[in-house]
Amino acid sequence: MSRMGIICFAASYGIALLLEVSRLWFRSRLRGVVILGCTAAGLIAHTLFLGYRAFTVTGSPLSSEMDWCLLAAWVLVALYLMLLFAYPRTPFGLVLLPLALGLIGAAGWWASREPYPQAPASRVWGLIHAGAILAATVAVLVAFAAGVIYLFQAYRLKQRRGPLGGFWVPSLEWLDRMNSRSLGAAVVALAVGLFAGVMLNWINYQQHVPPLPWSDPLVMTTLAMFWWLLVALVLAVWYRPADEVRKVAFITIISFIFLLTALAALLLMNTSHGRNRNPWQEQSGQAPQVSVEPYVWQESSLRGGICLWGPAGHGRSRPPFVAQLRT
Amino acid sequence: MNLLLVGCSHHQTPLAVRERLAFNEAQTVAALSAMRHCWPQTEAVLLSTCNRVELYLGGEKETLPSAEEAGAFLAQFHGLPHNLIQPYLYVYEDEEAVRHLFAVASSLDSMVLGEAQILGQVKDAYQLSAAQGAAGPIFHATFQTAVKAARRVATETTLHQRRVSIPSVAVADFAQQVFDRFDDKQVLVIGAGEMAEETLKYLQDQGARQITVVNRSAERAEELARRWQGRAATWEELVEAAASADVIISTTGAQQPILTAERFAQVTAQRRRWPVFILDLAVPRDVEPTVGDQPGVYLFSIDDLKAVCDANRRQRDAELPLAMRIVEEEAAQFMADLHHKASAPLIVQLRQGWQKPKEEELQRLFNKLPQLDDHARAEIRQAFDRLVNKLLHLPLDTLRNHARQGVPHSLMDALAKLFRLKE
């Protein structure tokens, strides 16, 4: 049912995207209204889907990788809808909608639906962590969109091409500003998200739950992205070379690659992020018959985050959680 | 009700004649006053722009002056011999006059197709006439619909979005693609060409305030800087001024490039702000084309701008049939409404004539059936009303349909005879 629901609103966004693409070839008075209608209808269905998940799954809308991806896509589409109202002749959808559809595709086909472990003590930090990382992801995607349009606009102007028939492209100055502001927002959000992640780990540690190791692929890629975004922000705001185009291209492409890598680490690689690291729930789905005392997590047991993963639900491998039990 | 238009425009009338026939605001007021004196039963609007002089007259056929009289009035007002302007005058009546006015207001008859000023001029002409008491209900409806038609053309076509003058293309289609705002940008003007002045006007409309003028003649630079509220710089300060400029407009009459690649390298060495937008409006060119190959430099020559102007003009021309169709639709609808209005008194009489027997029959019925309560009476009254409306619907609809071809005199006669109505 959930995949069908996802296909429904993804199809609405897909139609809106096709109509945006059609601006390149012909003009139509009706098209703007249809784009608006399709996007709004998709967004309503998307909202209802997330609302349904929120009522039926504990901790939603950020309770699983799937919900997280869908919420990130929802924010992107909502942003696109706002831009559509503010700048009806600018085809932001050409860049934003594929990104949103990419996130929806990831949610439907790769992301795990298994809820993240819920512990009352870490719930607030968990929400801050997931929300801030989501904001950072959206900000990087917006920066990417602004960067791509910037490169297109700069290319057109260098070729001395006149205005395009079907649409209006924003100025280089506006796009540059949007790019650097989005990067700034991404850096702040990611800093908050990482801090909340550290706090979560600390709380886990206090409760004798094995924390996420620094060597986890997701942690490493996210940290690398944070440092890169910091550098990119400094470059975007203070470094003004004559070849601004190359700078924007460099920042845009590298930031996007970092984001893709982090998302790939989350969705495709063997990470113990967001997994239940409680061994007696993970191995058999029920508590062992032995009497269990609070376990002691040992650093060495994680083997530096290198794959030791065993089988898990939803068709993808899960971490084995090798923390030792003292029985 | 009839309409008459007598006028001349840039299509056939030379400027020498147009300028002698033009009316300024005071002359327009005087002319309208004189017309009210000559033709008191006639409404009048006088539209005078640099490209046209048109006199619109409206009223009953018997009171409306002839085209010759209207033409003679225009000539006499300016003390010109009638035969001087007679060959250039065009005359349109009724639907043709309406169609022409709608096309003029929509800028389809302008020298620069789609230019935006004409709609404002049409509105001003009507408002001035209304203020003088020369325009009444006829022209109120006509000019309101003309404005509506012009707005439809503006929104349903791209006629007005395509700029066709070099300065407007330079600013709107290129400078505004590089910069979002101009109030914080340094504008450097090299030389004192007419095109630079025009471009500067557009830039100032967009908020440009920091203007520097460089000219070989320091006096000329001072004069231009004073006029544009900027500052003058000496020719020796050119590199320094170019290094701090965001927008450079060059229009000198120099035979050799002023901003050569070598000189621009000096500019680049001093620059702290990128990008730079350069408009080379000079012929021969002031800026070496290789300067435009450098990163962060967006250089446009007059040929680049002209190519866009030509493309825009072609696209405007392609939009013309659609714009004309809109004007046709609006004019046809307006005329149908106007013709239909001619039958309004007859329709009112017809409705009133049917109301009387209806009321009599209702009264008779209610007297015969005193047991009816208020609800039943209301229901019966409603049924009678519906019956009358249904019986009248077909003839009135036929009347409305025939009004599309003109005032339906024959039908109106028939109705008047059949139902003994006063015409």
Side-chain angles (χ1 to χ4, degrees):
Chain A
M1 179 266 166
S2 56
R3 190 167 283 182
M4 274 307 292
I6 291 173
I7 289 171
C8 279
F9 56 78
S12 288
Y13 300 150
I15 294 168
L17 176 61
L18 287 177
L19 289 168
E20 285 275 24
V21 173
S22 74
R23 289 190 201 229
L24 295 166
W25 290 287
F26 64 92
R27 286 184 71 243
S28 165
R29 281 165 54 203
L30 266 181
R31 179 174 40 214
V33 181
V34 180
I35 290 177
L36 206 65
C38 282
T39 313
L43 198 65
I44 291 167
H46 198 154
T47 312
L48 290 174
F49 184 88
L50 288 174
Y52 172 75
R53 292 274 305 169
F55 279 110
T56 54
V57 180
T58 316
S60 253
L62 289 167
S63 67
S64 67
E65 288 171 7
M66 185 185 85
D67 293 313
W68 186 90
C69 287
L70 286 179
L71 194 61
W74 186 92
V75 176
L76 265 186
V77 176
L79 190 72
Y80 164 62
L81 204 58
M82 282 194 290
L83 287 168
L84 203 59
F85 273 109
Y87 307 95
R89 289 190 60 218
T90 308
F92 288 109
L94 283 178
V95 191
L96 288 178
L97 285 176
L99 295 174
L101 285 170
L103 282 168
I104 293 168
W109 279 268
W110 292 297
S112 164
R113 295 168 191 201
E114 188 182 323
Y116 292 134
Q118 302 289 318
S122 63
R123 181 80 200 274
V124 175
W125 283 111
L127 277 176
I128 294 172
H129 174 66
I133 298 283
L134 184 142
T137 304
V138 171
V140 172
L141 290 175
V142 170
F144 173 75
V148 167
I149 302 173
Y150 181 100
L151 296 175
F152 170 71
Q153 177 72 309
Y155 173 78
R156 277 188 58 245
L157 288 169
K158 268 289 181 193
Q159 301 298 312
R160 301 180 179 90
R161 293 201 182 147
L164 289 157
F167 53 80
W168 171 261
V169 185
S171 69
L172 292 179
E173 189 180 21
W174 190 92
L175 292 164
D176 187 37
R177 198 165 55 236
M178 177 69 96
N179 184 274
S180 43
R181 282 183 185 173
S182 302
L183 284 176
V187 168
V188 172
L190 205 51
V192 172
L194 286 172
F195 178 73
V198 170
M199 291 308 294
L200 275 174
N201 248 5
W202 174 250
I203 291 166
N204 282 341
Y205 180 74
Q206 293 290 306
Q207 295 176 347
H208 306 286
V209 175
L212 198 62
W214 289 103
S215 53
D216 185 276
L218 182 61
V219 176
M220 287 201 300
T221 50
T222 310
L223 277 174
M225 182 167 86
F226 176 69
W227 288 115
W228 163 252
L229 287 177
L230 212 56
V231 172
L233 181 65
V234 171
L235 286 173
V237 176
W238 284 287
Y239 179 53
R240 291 275 165 203
D243 201 347
E244 188 86 12
V245 176
R246 187 173 289 181
K247 185 191 87 176
V248 171
F250 187 64
I251 290 174
T252 300
I253 292 165
I254 304 281
S255 304
F256 190 61
I257 288 172
F258 269 108
L259 179 68
L260 282 184
T261 313
L263 286 174
L266 175 71
L267 302 174
L268 304 173
M269 293 166 77
N270 289 319
T271 171
S272 48
H273 174 269
R275 310 285 178 255
N276 196 339
R277 290 187 288 277
N278 189 335
W280 37 265
Q281 279 188 5
E282 188 61 35
Q283 285 175 352
S284 61
Q286 55 184 321
Q289 297 302 308
V290 291
S291 67
V292 181
E293 292 174 25
Y295 59 83
V296 175
W297 172 70
Q298 292 180 355
E299 183 73 47
S300 59
S301 63
L302 285 169
R303 299 197 188 173
I306 296 168
C307 292
L308 284 169
W309 321 132
H314 291 278
R316 51 182 291 243
S317 59
R318 295 288 168 192
F321 308 113
V322 290
Q324 292 178 347
L325 282 173
R326 192 173 61 187
T327 58
Chain B
M1 200 225 42
N2 295 78
L3 294 173
L4 174 69
L5 159 62
V6 178
C8 64
S9 74
H10 61 93
H11 289 300
Q12 292 170 343
T13 315
L15 180 62
V17 176
R18 287 201 321 263
E19 64 191 6
R20 293 178 73 181
L21 209 51
F23 290 79
N24 61 27
E25 194 175 324
Q27 287 172 321
T28 306
V29 170
L32 290 171
S33 173
M35 271 184 274
R36 288 199 74 193
H37 184 73
C38 296
W39 308 304
Q41 304 293 315
T42 303
E43 291 185 25
V45 173
L46 186 54
L47 173 66
S48 179
T49 71
C50 50
N51 286 329
R52 70 185 66 248
V53 175
E54 290 180 345
L55 176 60
Y56 293 85
L57 298 166
E60 294 304 324
K61 197 167 189 173
E62 304 76 43
T63 59
L64 206 62
S66 67
E68 288 72 29
E69 286 172 321
F73 175 87
L74 290 174
Q76 279 169 17
F77 187 87
H78 288 287
L80 301 171
H82 188 202
N83 58 6
L84 175 73
I85 64 165
Q86 183 64 30
Y88 303 111
L89 291 181
Y90 46 76
V91 177
Y92 295 121
E93 288 178 11
D94 301 331
E95 191 165 350
E96 280 191 331
V98 169
R99 200 178 292 119
H100 179 80
L101 171 65
F102 289 8
V104 167
S106 307
S107 187
L108 306 184
D109 196 54
S110 299
M111 189 180 276
V112 178
L113 192 66
E115 55 104 354
Q117 279 181 325
I118 185 67
L119 181 58
Q121 289 166 331
V122 169
K123 279 188 207 168
D124 289 346
Y126 165 70
Q127 279 164 359
L128 187 61
S129 184
Q132 299 304 312
I138 299 170
F139 281 148
H140 178 73
T142 315
F143 279 77
Q144 287 279 339
T145 318
V147 171
K148 183 184 154 216
R151 286 195 179 135
R152 263 195 74 192
V153 168
T155 51
E156 293 177 25
T157 70
T158 56
L159 267 182
H160 298 268
Q161 292 163 14
R162 310 275 175 196
R163 293 162 191 87
V164 289
S165 75
I166 284 177
S168 65
V169 164
V171 174
D173 290 343
F174 290 112
Q176 284 185 298
Q177 300 275 293
V178 177
F179 297 118
D180 196 36
R181 49 189 286 195
F182 291 89
D183 57 338
D184 60 345
K185 302 292 178 301
Q186 288 277 352
V187 180
L188 170 66
V189 180
I190 309 171
E194 192 182 324
M195 202 80 88
E197 194 157 6
E198 283 291 311
T199 310
L200 211 50
K201 269 186 207 161
Y202 280 97
L203 280 174
Q204 284 183 323
D205 286 346
Q206 296 302 321
R209 296 287 173 269
Q210 301 166 50
I211 296 159
T212 305
V213 184
V214 172
N215 199 289
R216 284 189 197 277
S217 155
E219 284 172 11
R220 180 83 175 125
E222 287 287 352
E223 182 198 330
L224 293 175
R226 206 166 32 249
R227 194 190 311 163
W228 295 332
Q229 296 168 331
R231 74 174 187 90
T234 62
W235 193 254
E236 289 70 36
E237 292 171 319
L238 176 63
V239 170
E240 194 186 318
S244 58
D246 301 291
V247 178
I248 300 174
I249 305 167
S250 192
T251 55
T252 74
Q255 292 303 306
Q256 299 296 324
I258 291 165
L259 277 179
T260 57
E262 292 80 38
R263 190 175 243 174
F264 199 77
Q266 296 171 33
V267 173
T268 305
Q270 293 183 34
R271 275 195 82 78
R272 293 289 173 271
R273 292 151 65 103
W274 297 98
V276 58
F277 176 76
I278 305 176
L279 275 179
D280 185 357
L281 303 177
V283 179
R285 285 189 279 199
D286 280 344
V287 185
E288 269 187 4
T290 51
V291 169
D293 298 337
Q294 296 189 30
V297 179
Y298 296 95
L299 168 65
F300 298 92
S301 71
I302 203 150
D303 280 354
D304 301 324
L305 302 174
K306 201 165 175 302
V308 174
C309 288
D310 291 342
N312 286 355
R313 197 169 283 119
R314 282 194 298 275
Q315 281 167 339
R316 274 191 178 192
D317 291 345
E319 290 281 290
L320 196 56
L322 175 60
M324 288 304 294
R325 200 158 61 239
I326 293 169
V327 165
E328 286 289 341
E329 278 173 23
E330 288 292 334
Q333 185 59 49
F334 175 78
M335 290 311 293
D337 291 346
L338 200 66
H339 295 146
H340 189 58
K341 272 182 194 162
S343 56
L346 208 67
I347 293 167
V348 170
Q349 282 185 61
L350 193 61
R351 282 191 176 280
Q352 284 171 348
W354 285 52
Q355 287 297 321
K356 198 182 166 195
K358 183 197 82 179
E359 287 297 331
E360 286 170 1
E361 281 304 310
L362 275 172
Q363 205 53 52
R364 194 185 64 80
L365 190 65
F366 292 158
N367 289 340
K368 276 197 165 183
L369 302 168
Q371 71 275 19
L372 290 175
D373 61 6
D374 287 348
H375 179 71
R377 283 169 185 248
E379 280 294 322
I380 292 169
R381 178 173 288 281
Q382 206 175 3
F384 270 64
D385 283 340
R386 276 208 299 269
L387 182 68
V388 169
N389 284 339
K390 280 183 179 173
L391 288 172
L392 279 175
H393 175 74
L394 209 58
L396 294 185
D397 198 43
T398 310
L399 206 58
R400 191 175 292 112
N401 286 338
H402 276 72
R404 292 183 198 281
Q405 277 82 48
V407 179
H409 290 294
S410 56
L411 275 178
M412 285 164 66
D413 286 347
L415 277 175
K417 280 177 187 157
L418 281 170
F419 295 99
R420 294 184 185 168
L421 306 170
K422 291 176 195 168
E423 279 197 69

